[in-house]
Amino acid sequence: MAAVAAEAGVAKATAARTLGNYGAVSPEARARVLEAAARLRYRPNSLARSMTTGVTHTIGVVVADIGNPFFAGVLRGIADACDATDYTVIVMSADESIAKESSAIGVLMDKQVDGIVLASAAWRPDQTAHIQEAMSREIPIVLVDRIVPGLELDAVVIDNRQSARDAVRRFVAVGHRRIAFVWGPSAPERPLERERLLSVTDTWLWSSAERLRGYFDALDEAGIVFDPLLVSNCRLNEAATVDSVRAMLALPDPPTAVLTTETTATVGVLRATRDSRFAYPGDISVIGFDDSSWASVMEPPLTMIAQPMRELGRVAAELAFARIGGDRGDAAVETLPATFNSRASVTAPRPQVSLSDDDGR
Amino acid sequence: MAAVAAEAGVAKATAARTLGNYGAVSPEARARVLEAAARLRYRPNSLARSMTTGVTHTIGVVVADIGNPFFAGVLRGIADACDATDYTVIVMSADESIAKESSAIGVLMDKQVDGIVLASAAWRPDQTAHIQEAMSREIPIVLVDRIVPGLELDAVVIDNRQSARDAVRRFVAVGHRRIAFVWGPSAPERPLERERLLSVTDTWLWSSAERLRGYFDALDEAGIVFDPLLVSNCRLNEAATVDSVRAMLALPDPPTAVLTTETTATVGVLRATRDSRFAYPGDISVIGFDDSSWASVMEPPLTMIAQPMRELGRVAAELAFARIGGDRGDAAVETLPATFNSRASVTAPRPQVSLSDDDGR
């Protein structure tokens, strides 16, 4: 700005008033400043400006995994809300790592975002120092997809427990009793008995734990005794899922239905089903989180639980805008409904599943 | 830092030396400063620091569509490279809009990134003012996935033309002559004759135009006369694709094979095939860009062209680091090979496809 003032032959204050659009400037001085600014390719430094005004009109988003289509949908919703309000979004991925998440929050504070939308990998209080640091600086933070226990923050989530319960009820309604849950928590020991499983899930991502609780709810109300062999404890990737599900299908009493909690889990179950020469859906019914366009062109098309990804993002951004605008009300959790896209992957179990020939591969 | 110095009862220069890790400070003063910094929750302001050093150790990425799994893979590769060099990445999505891309570049310049990796929506010189502005400020820019004609910039791409040509050759090799191309350029007029089509593609995304040129290459070398009815000119979404492909399948001489250029195009083709009661792959062979885990659990699994997404991102980031490090060599285009994942979606065409009963749906 000093260079523009010198080029225009006016005082710095005059250049500042002209370029900042405030105060009185003579038409002639104004024209000289604008010409000089154009000649010098002047670009207002929004950081310097934000140091004065304290507002950057930018929100930061930290997602757990930028490669997950679920978060791509959430980001789309955040972008929609920002487009409508003239905010810009900058996005960082934490790859499900607390250390990277902490670093990302630090960068966003340095870049002076006005607010942060966060899908956190944290699940216990001693992992939240970075979040509390941002809170102590009064940077509005809204959680999305995942509640972090112990933090008084706005959050936008779906009712994971009820969605999982409803899915299992659909299996029960057509006669299934051997119902598997993929992905359970990764654990070196296995199988995990119910009590141990629930204590593991206390230290687990809120959304995943809620889905497992919904599975238990539906088993309990149907009087089905929980079989720990039907919850996967594998690592959360496709290859490990295939191995884990193949082991379930090799049981003397294999599952006839599977609830999957992620797209990769669904793909792993379908591959294991084929590898084990089980028929889909004749031998194995499937319902999964989250819906995708592929699921609807599978043969037969998959019944899926569709999370309102875009809506989750939009509402989270709007809560952040309200906080940036000065809303000091109590932290609130907004729960959005998921929807079932019923297709053709749930059939009644065969009267007797008997595979004397377990060909393994 | 001034507050820390006051709290510690030392000179500002002493606090600066301690917190900036330079120069000599007595052990006692150092301890007092560090204690005061902890008490006051001192956090180095990296923006203020970068105004001094001119380096923020941040690179910005602008992707055309953050919801596209292709770009998610590219971002993963960029993140890998940044992890290895202690850079952080901030990401912005331009939603295939030049205006949003321009705004994103502006924000990244304001946030003082050291370099930018860009998948641009620009395809002609008068759309590149924002890129040239960043170039004039000597901010290193590396293009990824898409070359922008007329700009002397480093770029990392795949050989789209050869990949498309190879795919069509595979169809030709097993006897196909009626080979469709989905997605061609969106256009209100249709069908487009070859000359008109090529002139449209001159004003089209480089990567898409290259794929169409590869399709022509393979038709020409096989002596197949181009039929404009076999190139889609629909809008680039699933519903429009289904309509467009259904119209092709209703032709007296429908295609027996389809090359698809995007995941959504592939899903649209599969849905249209089913809607039209054509058998997949008996009536319609399919090869598509880009591979996904779903493609391999389709029945039968799809033959797909896998772009080295992660590698594209990694190489682009490394080129950016080299430029940030002072490399002043000529701009270079790195072309990475795509790979074919051969599965079971290509079969020989039936001797005679004859559908007297065109039932529409």
Side-chain angles (χ1 to χ4, degrees), chain B residues 42-338:
Chain B
Y42 169 79
R43 180 178 180 88
N45 183 332
S46 71
L47 281 174
R49 202 171 52 214
S50 70
M51 282 171 184
T52 317
T53 64
V55 175
T56 60
H57 276 285
T58 308
I59 65 170
V61 181
V62 183
V63 294
D65 177 4
I66 209 163
N68 185 330
F70 171 80
F71 287 115
V74 171
L75 288 171
R76 191 60 65 85
I78 293 172
D80 289 346
C82 287
D83 282 354
T85 53
D86 211 23
Y87 265 79
T88 37
V89 197
I90 64 183
V91 180
M92 305 190 70
S93 180
D95 302 337
E96 301 285 3
S97 144
I98 304 275
K100 281 197 195 177
E101 178 179 313
S102 173
S103 156
I105 298 265
V107 169
L108 291 176
M109 288 195 291
D110 284 346
K111 301 293 183 197
Q112 306 185 341
V113 296
D114 296 336
I116 294 174
V117 175
L118 170 65
S120 179
W123 42 263
R124 56 168 205 249
D126 68 342
Q127 295 174 318
T128 60
H130 58 294
I131 304 176
Q132 294 184 28
E133 163 92 13
M135 290 168 74
S136 75
R137 288 163 186 274
E138 305 203 333
I139 295 169
I141 301 182
V142 175
L143 301 174
V144 69
D145 180 46
R146 303 162 175 191
I147 288 171
V148 181
L151 294 180
E152 284 290 309
L153 287 174
D154 293 333
V156 189
V157 297
I158 69 155
D159 193 333
N160 288 283
R161 185 168 184 164
Q162 185 180 318
S163 300
R165 186 168 53 213
D166 286 353
V168 175
R169 279 178 180 162
R170 282 163 192 249
F171 291 139
V172 170
V174 296
H176 291 278
R177 310 286 293 176
R178 298 287 293 165
I179 301 166
F181 183 90
V182 177
W183 289 326
S186 300
E189 12 150 16
R190 67 190 68 161
L192 296 177
E193 294 300 328
R194 180 176 182 142
E195 202 166 314
R196 176 87 185 99
L197 201 53
L198 282 172
S199 83
V200 170
T201 58
D202 279 347
T203 61
W204 202 24
L205 271 187
W206 173 85
S207 52
S208 309
E210 285 286 287
R211 291 175 188 179
L212 185 62
R213 289 188 194 105
Y215 167 77
F216 282 133
D217 291 343
L219 295 188
D220 291 349
E221 72 185 23
I224 298 171
V225 176
F226 167 62
D227 180 351
L229 292 173
L230 298 189
V231 173
S232 74
N233 302 119
C234 63
R235 297 186 58 196
L236 308 184
N237 62 50
E238 188 180 320
T241 306
V242 171
D243 288 346
S244 175
V245 175
R246 282 165 51 107
M248 287 183 197
L249 297 179
L251 292 172
D253 194 7
T256 59
V258 188
L259 171 62
T260 59
T261 62
E262 299 277 350
T263 295
T264 305
T266 308
V267 169
V269 166
L270 292 171
R271 190 182 310 290
T273 300
R274 180 178 308 169
D275 286 355
S276 301
R277 311 243 176 112
F278 275 59
Y280 157 77
D283 294 326
I284 292 290
S285 292
V286 178
I287 298 178
F289 292 84
D290 300 300
D291 202 18
S292 94
S293 60
W294 283 104
S296 66
V297 292
M298 291 294 294
E299 191 56 64
L302 283 158
T303 293
M304 301 290 271
I305 299 163
Q307 300 194 61
M309 303 177 289
R310 205 158 169 162
E311 186 74 359
L312 282 170
R314 193 183 60 72
V315 174
E318 286 172 358
L319 287 176
F321 298 150
R323 294 296 180 182
I324 292 166
D327 177 356
R328 301 276 173 196
D330 288 346
V333 174
E334 287 224 30
T335 303
L336 305 182

Side-chain angles (χ1 to χ4, degrees), chain A residues 40-49 51 56 58 65-69 72-73 75-76 79-80 83 88-93 95 100 102-113 132-133 136-137 238 263-264 266-268 270-271 274 290 292-302 304, chain B residues 40-49 51 56 58 65-69 72-73 75-76 79-80 83 88-93 95 100 102-113 132-133 136-137 238 263-264 266-268 270-271 274 290 292-302 304:
Chain A
L40 296 179
R41 298 171 152 271
Y42 168 82
R43 181 177 179 89
N45 182 329
S46 70
L47 283 174
R49 199 170 56 215
M51 282 172 183
T56 60
T58 307
D65 178 5
I66 210 163
N68 184 331
L75 288 170
R76 190 61 65 86
D80 290 345
D83 282 352
T88 37
V89 197
I90 64 183
V91 180
M92 305 190 69
S93 181
D95 302 337
K100 281 198 196 176
S102 174
S103 155
I105 298 265
V107 169
L108 291 175
M109 289 195 290
D110 284 346
K111 301 291 183 197
Q112 307 185 341
V113 297
Q132 293 185 28
E133 163 92 13
S136 75
R137 287 164 187 273
E238 189 180 320
T263 296
T264 305
T266 308
V267 169
L270 293 171
R271 189 181 311 290
R274 180 178 307 168
D290 300 293
S292 95
S293 61
W294 282 105
S296 66
V297 291
M298 290 295 295
E299 191 56 64
L302 282 158
M304 300 291 269
Chain B
L40 296 179
R41 298 171 152 273
Y42 169 79
R43 180 178 180 88
N45 183 332
S46 71
L47 281 174
R49 202 171 52 214
M51 282 171 184
T56 60
T58 308
D65 177 4
I66 209 163
N68 185 330
L75 288 171
R76 191 60 65 85
D80 289 346
D83 282 354
T88 37
V89 197
I90 64 183
V91 180
M92 305 190 70
S93 180
D95 302 337
K100 281 197 195 177
S102 173
S103 156
I105 298 265
V107 169
L108 291 176
M109 288 195 291
D110 284 346
K111 301 293 183 197
Q112 306 185 341
V113 296
Q132 294 184 28
E133 163 92 13
S136 75
R137 288 163 186 274
E238 188 180 320
T263 295
T264 305
T266 308
V267 169
L270 292 171
R271 190 182 310 290
R274 180 178 308 169
D290 300 300
S292 94
S293 60
W294 283 104
S296 66
V297 292
M298 291 294 294
E299 191 56 64
L302 283 158
M304 301 290 271

Side-chain angles (χ1 to χ4, degrees), chain A residues 5-361:
Chain A
E7 173 83 9
V10 302
K12 267 200 268 187
T14 305
R17 284 199 299 275
T18 304
L19 297 169
N21 266 324
Y22 64 89
V25 184
S26 76
E28 189 223 358
R30 183 179 160 74
R32 290 224 306 272
V33 169
L34 293 178
E35 276 161 29
R39 262 194 311 276
L40 296 179
R41 298 171 152 271
Y42 168 82
R43 181 177 179 89
N45 182 329
S46 70
L47 283 174
R49 199 170 56 215
S50 70
M51 282 172 183
T52 317
T53 65
V55 175
T56 60
H57 277 284
T58 307
I59 66 169
V61 181
V62 183
V63 294
D65 178 5
I66 210 163
N68 184 331
F70 170 81
F71 287 114
V74 171
L75 288 170
R76 190 61 65 86
I78 293 171
D80 290 345
C82 287
D83 282 352
T85 53
D86 212 22
Y87 266 78
T88 37
V89 197
I90 64 183
V91 180
M92 305 190 69
S93 181
D95 302 337
E96 301 285 3
S97 143
I98 304 277
K100 281 198 196 176
E101 178 178 313
S102 174
S103 155
I105 298 265
V107 169
L108 291 175
M109 289 195 290
D110 284 346
K111 301 291 183 197
Q112 307 185 341
V113 297
D114 296 337
I116 294 174
V117 175
L118 169 64
S120 179
W123 41 263
R124 57 170 205 248
D126 67 343
Q127 294 174 318
T128 60
H130 58 294
I131 304 176
Q132 293 185 28
E133 163 92 13
M135 290 168 74
S136 75
R137 287 164 187 273
E138 304 203 332
I139 295 169
I141 300 182
V142 175
L143 301 175
V144 70
D145 180 46
R146 303 163 176 193
I147 288 171
V148 181
L151 293 179
E152 284 290 310
L153 287 175
D154 293 334
V156 190
V157 297
I158 68 155
D159 193 334
N160 288 284
R161 184 168 184 163
Q162 187 180 317
S163 300
R165 187 168 54 214
D166 287 354
V168 175
R169 279 178 179 161
R170 282 162 193 250
F171 290 139
V172 171
V174 297
H176 292 278
R177 310 285 292 174
R178 299 285 295 162
I179 302 165
F181 184 91
V182 176
W183 290 327
S186 300
E189 11 148 19
R190 67 189 68 163
L192 296 176
E193 293 301 327
R194 179 173 183 144
E195 203 168 313
R196 175 86 185 101
L197 200 54
L198 282 172
S199 83
V200 170
T201 59
D202 279 348
T203 60
W204 202 23
L205 270 187
W206 173 85
S207 53
S208 308
E210 286 286 286
R211 291 174 189 179
L212 185 62
R213 288 188 195 106
Y215 167 76
F216 281 134
D217 291 345
L219 294 188
D220 291 348
E221 71 184 26
I224 298 171
V225 176
F226 167 62
D227 180 351
L229 292 172
L230 298 190
V231 173
S232 73
N233 301 120
C234 63
R235 296 185 60 195
L236 308 183
N237 62 50
E238 189 180 320
T241 306
V242 171
D243 288 344
S244 174
V245 176
R246 282 166 51 108
M248 287 183 197
L249 297 178
L251 291 173
D253 195 7
T256 59
V258 187
L259 172 62
T260 59
T261 62
E262 299 278 350
T263 296
T264 305
T266 308
V267 169
V269 166
L270 293 171
R271 189 181 311 290
T273 301
R274 180 178 307 168
D275 286 355
S276 300
R277 312 243 175 112
F278 276 58
Y280 157 78
D283 295 325
I284 294 289
S285 291
V286 178
I287 298 178
F289 292 83
D290 300 293
D291 203 16
S292 95
S293 61
W294 282 105
S296 66
V297 291
M298 290 295 295
E299 191 56 64
L302 282 158
T303 292
M304 300 291 269
I305 299 163
Q307 299 195 62
M309 304 177 287
R310 204 158 170 163
E311 185 74 358
L312 282 170
R314 194 185 59 73
V315 173
E318 286 172 358
L319 287 176
F321 297 151
R323 294 295 180 182
I324 293 165
D327 177 357
R328 301 279 174 192
D330 289 344
V333 174
E334 287 224 31
T335 304
L336 305 182
T339 53
F340 268 87
N341 290 331
S342 281
R343 302 196 185 97
S345 60
V346 181
T347 60
R350 300 191 199 278
Q352 183 72 35
V353 176
S354 159
L355 278 197
S356 55
D357 169 32
D358 167 33
D359 68 354
R361 169 191 286 266

